[in-house]
Amino acid sequence: MATTRDHFGSRAAVIMAMAGSAIGLGNIWRFPYMVGEYGGAAFILVYILCSFILSFPIFLSEAVIGRGTHANAIGAMKQLAPRSGWMALGYLGVITPMVIVSYYSIVGGWSIEYFFKSFTLNFGEFRPTGWVPLIFNTIFLACSAGIVAFGVKDGIEKFNKISIPLLFVLIVLIMIYSVNMPGAEKGVEYLVKPDFSKLTGRTFAFALGQSFYSMSLGMGIVVTYSSYVHKDENLVASGVGTVLAALLFSILAGFAIMPAVFSAGIAPSSGPGLVYETLPHVFSGMGASYPIIGTIVAVLFFFSVVVAAMTSSISLIEVGVAFLVEEKGIKRRTACLLVFLLAWVLGIASVFSMNAFGKVDAFSSNFLLTAGVLLVVLFVGWKMKKEAVREEITNRGTVNNKIFDVFYFLVRYVAPIVVVIIFISNFVL
Ligand code: PHE
């Protein structure tokens, strides 16, 4: 079977695809606000620690499952733990991304709508629900599924290889403009001023939750993408590249957004309010004094949001498609159509009600994701044979031998305890 499967062509391709999944709305609309509210540079420090001490080993654990089996999320578990309770990990790995893509694509749709509105800087009131969002959601989903239909190499790899470098260039351009706006210093200060008194257990839980979401962990994505990684590729190197790319993008997004918001004299916010209410205000304000500049910045920004969301949504779609192709013998194109239809139907409630949208988001990103992460670390740390895990991380003893023990300790002991605490705190906080 392995010979009929696609592979990513190079390490750069692996990192671009993984970073494409990681870099998305989480980096743009949640991270900058969290930094400002939870301690500035002090929060960034905690976030970096969480990324390397927890998210990174969890990422590698999923990569061990995916690359070790070269199979989709459910197929992988069928190979490793057939007919056992661990199959739940496989099923969760396919269900969670389906649920997430159903509302994630709605945001993608809003972004397409705002991209068009940017040309006139006439944004009007933000209307997140109704027929117009449904139409743009359909367009966004169809484009994402269309890219996946081209295949791993000709669709996903190609799209990410262009999009990720482009996203970095665009966000740096916007950042340069933003930090030079009058009064931008206050925004910079908001992001960097360290306030260690804000670092509570709660902040830590938020940082970790955000880091898991941002790295697309616990939902079959890293398993599926790494199943397309070549046996000789160094997983640790690809993983480090991905973590660094996602971190860097988050920080750049912060410096692209917050200085402009403060320069316009508006209070910062997060989520849809930041991207579809606050920022349109900022862009229109720029446009009042320099119409062309306001338009250019707005167009580039919303274009970036669309692309960042799409590189994430194609990773969500690929999980379901890989499952249908490999387990059900369905043709890739048909599988893409089926996933598109299912996501579209699942999204109907959210597209007509923000209440439903919020519930689906909270349920999937707090509950399903955390459950998935917990099962992954328990499986790799306690159920798989240590030697099998070592083989995969060290490429049969040729690389990473020194860090293996550290990785294994983190996955076996540290991660499960911390994730259980997060799981419980999601219910009580
Ligand atoms: N990681 C993406 C982001 O930060 C979101 C995402 C979550 C993508 C889950 C895929 C899976 O926006």
Side-chain angles (χ1 to χ4, degrees), residues 63-83:
V64 163
I65 297 176
R67 212 260 306 254
T69 56
H70 287 304
N72 64 90
I74 289 182
M77 296 313 293
K78 276 193 190 159
Q79 283 184 35
L80 296 172
R83 287 180 295 280

Side-chain angles (χ1 to χ4, degrees), residues 33 38 77 116 156 187 265 340 352 373 399:
Y33 179 78
Y38 300 126
M77 296 313 293
F116 288 123
I156 299 175
F340 163 82
F352 285 104
V373 167
V399 287

Side-chain angles (χ1 to χ4, degrees), residues 21-27 100 104 213-216 219 221 312 315-316:
S21 177
I23 294 170
L25 298 158
N27 311 57
I100 293 188
Y104 202 83
Y213 184 80
S214 180
M215 291 298 294
S216 312
M219 49 187 101
I221 288 182
S312 298
S315 71
L316 292 159

Side-chain angles (χ1 to χ4, degrees), residues 137-158:
N137 174 39
T138 311
I139 298 174
F140 181 86
L141 257 182
C143 294
S144 309
I147 294 168
V148 176
F150 277 97
V152 173
K153 232 182 149 107
D154 295 335
I156 299 175
E157 174 172 330
K158 269 204 184 126

